[in-house]
Amino acid sequence: MAASLKARLRAGEKLAGALVRMPSEDVVEMLAVAGLDFVLVDCEHGPADVGSLRHHIALAQVHGVPVLVRIGEGEHHLAARALDQGAQGIVAPHVESAADAEALVRAVRFPPRGTRGFATYPRAGRFGTVSAADHRAAAESTLVIAMLESPAAIGDAAAIVAVAGIDGYLVGTADLAAARGPDDPSVADLLAAVRADPGTASVVRVDLASGAAGAAEAFADGAQVVVHNVAHVLMETFRALSLR
C-alpha cells in the first residue's frame, strides 16, 4: 500500500497537486495520468455534492492518486462525509483562531479525541471489511490544512498551527486581500510575516500556484506543497488558443 500524503510529508517530500472543481472527472483522470501527487477537490467554490465527490475520489483512487477536499467555511459535516468516502485529508477555509482549529480537528477525529461518527461500512472502511482497529489506525493519516484568509488569522497563525492535529497552513491570498482594512499591511507583507513566523516553521506550508514557474518559485521559497489552480491554467491555455 502506498504511503499516505501525511507520511510522505513527514518524510520530507515536496508534493505537487491540483485544485479542481466538480464536475471534473476527465480533468482528475488527466492529472493522475500526468503524475500529480494529489488532487484537491474544491467544495467551497464548487458544487458541494457528496455523490459527485464520491465519484471523483473513486476515480482518482483507481489511478492511485489521493484526494484532499476543501470544504466550505465551518462545514464540518461535509469533512466527515468526505473522509468516509475515502478522502485523505481536509483543507478548511477561514480558520480564524485556535478555537476554530480545535473545532476542525474535533470534527475529523474519532472519539475520544473528536466527534466524528464511527463506521467501517463506507468506502474508507472498505464497506465493512476492515477491523475497527485498522479503521482507527488509517484515520491517523488524515491530513488537515488550515487556510488563513484574514489579517487576524495571519496574526494568530502560530496559535492556529500549534493546535494538535493541524498539519499545515495555506494562505488564501484572494480572501486575504478582500479582508484587508485600510490600515492593514499589504498582502505581500502579511505573507512575509506568516512565513517568517517561527511558530509556523514546524508545520507544512502549502502554496497556490498558477503554473510551473510559480510552483518552482514557491518550492524554492520554502513551500513543501504546491497546489496548481487548474481553472487558471486552463483559462490561460484557452485564451492563448483564441489569439489571432
Side-chain angles (χ1 to χ4, degrees):
M1 184 176 178
S4 68
L5 292 175
K6 190 168 186 173
R8 293 174 66 185
L9 290 170
R10 285 180 171 174
E13 287 191 53
K14 292 183 177 181
L15 304 179
L19 174 70
V20 299
R21 296 178 179 89
M22 299 184 296
S24 305
E25 292 184 31
D26 281 354
V27 173
V28 167
E29 195 158 18
M30 285 189 285
L31 292 168
V33 171
L36 275 291
D37 293 301
F38 65 92
V39 170
L40 170 56
V41 178
D42 186 6
C43 290
E44 181 190 18
H45 296 296
D49 182 296
V50 178
S52 182
L53 175 61
R54 181 192 187 284
H55 295 159
H56 288 67
I57 293 172
L59 178 62
Q61 288 181 341
V62 165
H63 291 276
V65 175
V67 173
L68 304 177
V69 176
R70 177 161 74 174
I71 59 174
E73 182 177 357
E75 287 188 325
H76 295 160
H77 63 287
L78 178 58
R81 295 174 76 185
L83 294 174
D84 275 350
Q85 296 309 314
Q88 272 200 23
I90 298 298
V91 177
H94 301 289
V95 179
E96 292 290 310
S97 64
D100 285 351
E102 289 165 357
L104 170 63
V105 171
R106 285 195 301 272
V108 301
R109 297 295 184 191
F110 292 131
R113 296 175 61 193
T115 59
R116 178 184 168 193
F118 187 86
T120 62
Y121 55 80
R123 288 193 73 254
R126 296 185 61 82
F127 311 105
T129 61
V130 302
S131 69
D134 286 346
H135 193 47
R136 283 184 178 277
E140 292 300 311
S141 65
T142 298
L143 187 70
V144 182
I145 304 297
M147 292 191 69
L148 312 177
E149 303 189 270
S150 71
I154 296 294
D156 212 19
I160 289 170
V161 302
V163 171
I166 297 295
D167 298 297
Y169 72 95
L170 165 61
V171 177
T173 53
D175 277 283
L176 182 60
R180 282 180 61 249
D183 298 323
D184 288 318
S186 68
V187 170
D189 286 344
L190 289 166
L191 275 172
V194 73
R195 291 170 179 174
D197 189 339
T200 65
S202 62
V203 298
V204 174
R205 172 181 146 192
V206 183
D207 282 8
L208 288 171
S210 56
E217 290 176 6
F219 281 134
D221 188 54
Q224 192 176 356
V225 178
V226 165
V227 182
H228 293 277
N229 186 335
V230 169
H232 179 90
V233 172
L234 288 177
M235 284 305 300
E236 287 296 298
T237 301
F238 296 155
R239 290 176 67 187
L241 293 176
S242 71
L243 296 179
R244 291 172 175 75

